[in-house]
Amino acid sequence: MFLNEETNQFELGGVEVLEIAQTYETPLFVYDSKQIINQYNKMKNALRQVKKLKINYACKALTNISILRLLKNLGAGLDAVSYQEILLGLEAGFEAQDIIYTPNSVSIEELEAAMKLGVKVNIDNIETLEYMGMNHPNKAFCIRVNPHIMAGGNAKISVGHIDSKFGISIHQMPLVERLVETLNIKVEGVHMHTGSDILDVDVFSHAATLLFDVARKFKDLEYIDFGSGFKVKYKPNDIETDMEQFGEMMAKRFNAFCEETGKDLTLAFEPGKFLVSESGYFLAKTNVVKQTTSTVFAGIDTGFNHLIRPMFYGSHHEIMNVSNPAGKPKIYTVVGYICETDTFGWNRKINEIKEGDVLCFKNAGAYCFSMASNYNSRYRPAEVLVHDGKAHLIRKRETFEDLLRNQVDPALDFNATEKVVKDVEA
């Protein structure tokens, strides 16, 4: 997004942001396809020295079918964490073998259903590994390793530490080896994901050392999957993972490992936030500007039912007043319309806000719409994709009919219940 100095209007992909808000109304998620393409190519270019590279999009970040099709067209595979995400991937045109399914704490029934679809399965506990070896002796699997590394932006997105529910402990690898040998399990891949918002390239280097040691133990190996976790920018002048430094380090180490072991392996990653976070913008209209004893609140037509990350993770989203680009900056606390404390940002410097102004939240492409709900019986927003200079509606705004769609009226006689209550009171 940039400010067109001639028109004094913010534009995204050649389209005025206020025009998008007026056409599709607020609250509204808007995505820039060019930014997604740039991020994909940035990662691909950083790892250009790797002979066989596979970038699997972690679709839990944003599952809109149009976004999935865009990434498929770029050459990405898909990382799915649920049966439903697998179905969305197949609907978007991904081949089953281009989907890796990495579930956690799911039922055997869901695992079996995924197996029938023909996707790659990533196993993250001993019991499941044993079950699969017993019941699917001719299938190949990936093994998710917990490296016991504390990494990530905060505890909720750090998933590779010793107390994490994810993965098989690296200290259990001798048991894994015995099961693989006894049950004749084919291990086609090893996987590791330590967390999100990781800045230090040395964290990835340390993880690589551990995962390479594990990889040496399996003769049928075809790929090594390092998950993701790259940090993106959230604020002006913010720092991010140095992808060139990361790519140089990882390519050098991976190529040396392949040469050492004599294996022609694929290097895989599963970026989600890295690919889509900065492509997304969330537009909301100001309902009220309220002065209290010490605070000026800007109350908007949305809440944590639509964008929960600031309340759930303490995450930072830059907030701009796109209706008043030249306005004098003032200090506001931006809040939502939910009947609970739903503060998006305390004491933010934003160009003067008036009722009716459209505010824009940056970094709204990852874990925003995908975590939205109908709390307070509010409708979930529409989604728009800006592509080739045009804004395209890719999800309709929900309506009252959507709230009722799956509710069932069993035609109960509540008059009888009222009579029982009166009898008890008597």
Side-chain angles (χ1 to χ4, degrees):
M1 182 187 295
F2 74 98
L3 181 64
N4 186 323
E5 295 182 358
E6 293 183 3
T7 63
N8 198 35
Q9 292 288 322
F10 284 99
E11 293 185 4
L12 182 63
V15 185
E16 289 187 357
V17 174
L18 286 179
E19 179 186 332
I20 298 174
Q22 183 177 10
T23 301
Y24 299 103
E25 301 182 340
T26 60
L28 180 71
F29 285 100
V30 184
Y31 312 112
D32 180 8
S33 67
K34 185 177 180 181
Q35 178 64 21
I36 296 174
I37 294 168
N38 288 344
Q39 289 295 99
Y40 182 87
N41 288 334
K42 182 179 181 179
M43 184 170 185
K44 186 177 178 181
N45 186 62
L47 291 154
R48 59 190 176 275
Q49 299 300 324
V50 175
K51 180 181 175 183
K52 295 168 70 174
L53 174 69
K54 188 65 174 180
I55 300 174
N56 297 311
Y57 168 55
C59 68
K60 60 182 176 291
L62 177 60
T63 55
N64 188 288
I65 203 83
S66 295
I67 303 299
L68 300 186
R69 288 174 177 153
L70 169 63
L71 283 155
K72 176 189 175 296
N73 189 64
L74 292 173
L78 201 71
D79 166 49
V81 297
S82 71
Y83 181 74
Q84 292 78 9
E85 286 186 354
I86 296 173
L87 295 181
L88 284 171
L90 295 172
E91 182 71 20
F94 287 91
E95 297 293 332
Q97 278 300 298
D98 282 330
I99 300 175
I100 181 165
Y101 171 54
T102 305
N104 177 262
S105 301
V106 303
S107 67
I108 290 297
E109 289 77 14
E110 179 169 330
L111 284 164
E112 288 287 2
M115 293 285 292
K116 289 179 181 178
L117 294 176
V119 299
K120 289 182 169 66
V121 175
N122 193 5
I123 297 174
D124 88 330
N125 68 77
I126 294 292
E127 291 74 14
T128 301
L129 179 65
E130 187 172 14
Y131 172 87
M132 288 299 185
M134 293 283 192
N135 293 276
H136 299 279
N138 298 317
K139 296 288 185 179
F141 299 97
C142 181
I143 292 176
R144 178 172 184 171
V145 179
N146 182 337
H148 298 180
I149 295 175
M150 177 63 81
N154 62 61
K156 291 182 179 179
I157 54 177
S158 179
V159 296
H161 56 83
I162 193 168
D163 290 320
S164 172
K165 68 172 184 172
F166 299 97
I168 300 174
S169 169
I170 196 164
H171 301 308
Q172 291 179 300
M173 285 305 110
L175 176 55
V176 170
E177 290 180 74
R178 288 200 295 273
L179 287 174
V180 167
E181 182 178 356
T182 302
L183 299 176
N184 197 29
I185 300 172
K186 181 180 178 182
V187 177
E188 65 176 2
V190 290
H191 170 279
M192 180 184 293
H193 179 61
T194 55
S196 186
D197 283 348
I198 300 172
L199 178 65
D200 191 353
V201 171
D202 287 341
V203 172
F204 293 103
S205 181
H206 178 45
T209 299
L210 298 176
L211 198 55
F212 287 150
D213 286 343
V214 172
R216 290 185 176 90
K217 304 177 187 299
F218 304 110
K219 61 180 178 13
D220 297 317
L221 208 65
E222 297 178 8
Y223 59 90
I224 299 178
D225 189 334
F226 281 92
S228 182
F230 311 113
K231 187 183 184 308
V232 298
K233 291 183 178 180
Y234 293 102
K235 303 176 183 179
N237 303 317
D238 199 3
I239 51 178
E240 61 184 344
T241 305
D242 187 330
M243 292 305 294
E244 280 297 320
Q245 181 188 1
F246 168 80
E248 183 179 350
M249 177 277 295
M250 185 58 72
K252 181 178 180 180
R253 298 203 58 187
F254 179 76
N255 290 339
F257 178 81
C258 290
E259 184 176 351
E260 172 203 331
T261 59
K263 295 181 181 292
D264 185 22
L265 302 174
T266 296
L267 177 61
F269 294 94
E270 296 162 1
K273 184 187 298 182
F274 177 81
L275 293 179
V276 299
S277 176
E278 294 171 282
S279 77
Y281 301 86
F282 185 50
L283 306 180
K285 185 178 70 175
T286 304
N287 286 335
V288 63
V289 178
K290 178 180 179 180
Q291 171 77 60
T292 66
T293 54
S294 61
T295 305
V296 180
F297 290 102
I300 56 180
D301 64 347
T302 184
F304 69 66
N305 54 321
H306 298 152
L307 180 59
I308 199 172
R309 294 187 73 250
M311 303 80 178
F312 190 57
Y313 294 124
S315 63
H316 180 93
H317 292 261
E318 281 291 296
I319 306 173
M320 307 164 53
N321 184 355
V322 295
S323 295
N324 191 13
K328 180 180 178 181
K330 294 189 174 183
I331 303 299
Y332 298 92
T333 291
V334 181
V335 296
Y337 62 6
I338 289 299
C339 192
E340 293 192 38
T341 300
D342 56 347
T343 304
F344 292 102
W346 286 97
N347 298 329
R348 296 291 190 87
K349 186 168 71 172
I350 305 171
N351 289 5
E352 185 178 8
I353 302 172
K354 297 179 181 179
E355 291 181 13
D357 282 356
V358 175
L359 303 188
C360 175
F361 295 74
K362 293 186 175 182
N363 285 92
Y367 304 101
C368 293
F369 185 92
S370 63
M371 297 178 74
S373 73
N374 292 121
Y375 187 51
N376 281 191
S377 296
R378 298 288 187 177
Y379 311 138
R380 286 186 296 177
E383 292 179 292
V384 166
L385 179 65
V386 177
H387 181 68
D388 286 343
K390 294 182 180 180
H392 305 269
L393 183 68
I394 58 174
R395 187 191 298 269
K396 295 179 182 179
R397 185 178 309 281
E398 289 183 338
T399 64
F400 184 65
E401 287 71 25
D402 293 313
L403 294 182
L404 294 175
R405 189 174 308 282
N406 292 317
Q407 297 192 42
V408 177
D409 181 3
L412 298 175
D413 183 3
F414 292 115
N415 290 325
T417 304
E418 182 180 354
K419 181 179 183 300
V420 170
V421 172
K422 289 181 177 179
D423 289 344
V424 171
E425 291 176 345

